[in-house]
Amino acid sequence: MDSDHESDDRPPRRPPVPSRDPYVYTLQSSRHATSAKVCRDFVACVLNSVGQEELVDTATVCTSELATNAFLHAEGDSVMLRVVIEPPRFRVLVYDASAELPAAACLPEGDRLHGRGLGLVAALADAWGTAEGDAVGMYAKGVWFELAGKEEDEA
């Protein structure tokens, strides 16, 4: 009698070999007042999922600053967030439709309310900078930051 189930006499499957390629997670968000929170939550979820919990606080602050800048100063209807993990390095890129590069990251003097975001990112992140737009041409530039996490064998 024929059956629809697999035979039990096959050898067991081996666990998959971990990829050496970077992990890449992408979120496209409308350019809206809620964008910074959505982007922060997305980054926190990714970091918690890959065992890099110690980076969550710093990463969410930096992500919030970049997403807020895109909301306040960029053009277009949306922003794209890309999280790239190449252990132990972790990079977040926020793309927008404005070709204008951000001003240098220095903290303003006095009690000014604006202009502190990139200075904060520069102070907290291991590195930060700008990137060319996406390959499709929907976004003109990206602004990124990078943090160093723990090695996989330390986890």
Side-chain angles (χ1 to χ4, degrees), residues 56-124:
V56 170
D57 290 341
T58 302
T60 55
V61 168
C62 292
T63 299
S64 185
E65 293 301 332
L66 298 187
T68 299
N69 282 350
F71 168 69
L72 292 174
H73 305 295
E75 303 166 356
D77 296 330
S78 65
V79 296
M80 180 174 64
L81 177 79
R82 179 159 290 150
V83 179
V84 180
I85 301 172
E86 292 182 87
R89 311 234 24 104
F90 164 78
R91 180 178 280 199
V92 172
L93 299 98
V94 177
Y95 290 94
D96 62 53
S98 173
E100 186 176 336
L101 295 177
C106 58
L107 293 175
E109 293 183 24
D111 294 333
R112 285 189 21 211
L113 297 177
H114 299 286
R116 299 182 187 282
L118 287 178
L120 186 59
V121 171
L124 294 174

Side-chain angles (χ1 to χ4, degrees), residues 8 21 45 49 54 61-62 92 98-99 103 105 113-114 122 129 135 138 152:
D8 291 330
D21 294 331
C45 182
S49 296
E54 75 283 355
V61 168
C62 292
V92 172
S98 173
L113 297 177
H114 299 286
M138 187 169 174
E152 285 184 23

